[in-house]
Amino acid sequence: KDIEKNIKLKSLGTLPIDKDNEDLIIQKNPKSHIVECIKTTRTNIFYLANKKTLLITSPRPKTGKSWVTNNLAVAFAKADKKVIIVDTDLRKDSNRNEIFNIEKGEGLSDFITEITDDKLENLKNSKKYIKETEIPNLHILQKGTLPPNPSELISSNNMKKLIDLLKSMYDIVLLDGTPCMVVSDSIALSSMADSTILISESKKTKI
């Protein structure tokens, strides 16, 4: 209510804090109230017409942004949508490979540098970088090699070409971004995504 009143943005959903701290609660405890809230949020996102590429960001770190991204992705996959999570925070390591039980390796930063104007070549190269998960319909593009110039890579024309390629391959492209008030990467990405979802934490995120 505070967000809708003060910032005039529509709320897509409210998720309770998971006290058990399950990385993928939607898999581990599918009948929980939290999972129902995730599914409600997924349904509300469905009503965003022609929004295939969604950037998920938050004003500050440690707000649960990646947790929301992971669980939303599984919710979309369970609704028979072909989904990819793109880990666009090229500044720090993550444990997404452990959460989804996939091999750690090359990813987004490496793929960006290989993108060409030839779509067939890009599709062929994508097999090197995109990992299938144990969850049907859900793939992941990990961050890959941490580069010395993350902002330049994320805001590059090659990144835009990569997003366009993924849009042609998937129903939903979830871009897990950096905190938008800390570094500028997500601001650049927001111009390439169809829509941006902001994650805020009750009583912690400042208006």
Side-chain angles (χ1 to χ4, degrees), residues 63-113:
T63 313
K65 171 179 54 61
S66 294
W67 183 88
V68 172
T69 304
N70 293 340
N71 283 281
L72 261 183
V74 177
F76 280 122
K78 286 178 179 291
D80 286 330
K81 296 291 180 187
K82 196 174 179 191
V83 190
I84 185 166
I85 299 173
V86 185
D87 204 338
T88 68
D89 186 346
L90 303 181
R91 295 168 182 274
K92 59 182 177 62
D93 231 341
S94 80
N95 65 337
R96 187 165 268 134
N97 60 304
E98 294 167 15
I99 293 168
F100 286 98
N101 196 23
I102 58 174
E103 190 182 334
K104 197 166 191 172
E106 292 182 311
L108 176 63
S109 61
D110 312 283
F111 197 2
I112 292 173
T113 57

Side-chain angles (χ1 to χ4, degrees), residues 11-202:
S11 174
L12 288 169
T14 307
L15 305 178
I17 296 289
D18 176 22
K19 288 175 182 163
D20 296 329
N21 209 19
E22 292 278 10
D23 286 318
L24 284 182
I25 190 170
I26 196 157
Q27 286 285 88
K28 302 279 173 64
N29 193 0
K31 290 188 165 59
S32 77
H33 172 58
I34 298 174
V35 171
E36 285 308 311
C37 293
I38 292 167
K39 288 179 179 176
T40 301
T41 304
R42 175 194 65 189
T43 303
N44 288 336
I45 292 170
F46 274 143
Y47 289 122
L48 300 172
N50 300 317
K51 308 289 188 188
K52 286 186 79 168
T53 313
L54 301 169
L55 168 64
I56 300 181
T57 182
S58 58
R60 299 282 175 196
K62 309 285 185 198
T63 313
K65 171 179 54 61
S66 294
W67 183 88
V68 172
T69 304
N70 293 340
N71 283 281
L72 261 183
V74 177
F76 280 122
K78 286 178 179 291
D80 286 330
K81 296 291 180 187
K82 196 174 179 191
V83 190
I84 185 166
I85 299 173
V86 185
D87 204 338
T88 68
D89 186 346
L90 303 181
R91 295 168 182 274
K92 59 182 177 62
D93 231 341
S94 80
N95 65 337
R96 187 165 268 134
N97 60 304
E98 294 167 15
I99 293 168
F100 286 98
N101 196 23
I102 58 174
E103 190 182 334
K104 197 166 191 172
E106 292 182 311
L108 176 63
S109 61
D110 312 283
F111 197 2
I112 292 173
T113 57
E114 272 198 22
I115 287 286
T116 69
D117 290 327
D118 185 335
K119 188 179 175 185
L120 285 176
E121 189 182 344
N122 293 334
L123 282 169
K124 185 180 165 190
N125 285 337
S126 71
K127 292 171 185 170
K128 270 198 296 186
Y129 302 114
I130 294 172
K131 307 277 187 191
E132 289 186 26
T133 70
E134 295 165 347
I135 299 159
N137 294 324
L138 178 56
H139 293 174
I140 292 177
L141 179 56
Q142 299 176 89
K143 58 188 66 188
T145 311
L146 293 183
N149 56 341
S151 286
E152 286 79 2
L153 276 184
I154 289 296
S155 58
S156 68
N157 198 41
N158 275 12
M159 181 69 194
K160 190 172 186 311
K161 286 180 192 171
L162 176 53
I163 289 175
D164 289 340
L165 175 74
L166 296 176
K167 279 174 80 168
S168 71
M169 296 169 66
Y170 293 90
D171 299 317
I172 302 281
V173 179
L174 293 178
L175 307 170
D176 187 5
T178 55
C180 59
M181 291 184 74
V182 179
V183 290
S184 63
D185 304 15
S186 284
I187 297 169
L189 269 181
S190 67
S191 66
M192 304 178 197
D194 296 328
S195 197
T196 299
I197 296 173
L198 274 170
I199 309 294
S200 64
E201 192 173 0
S202 177

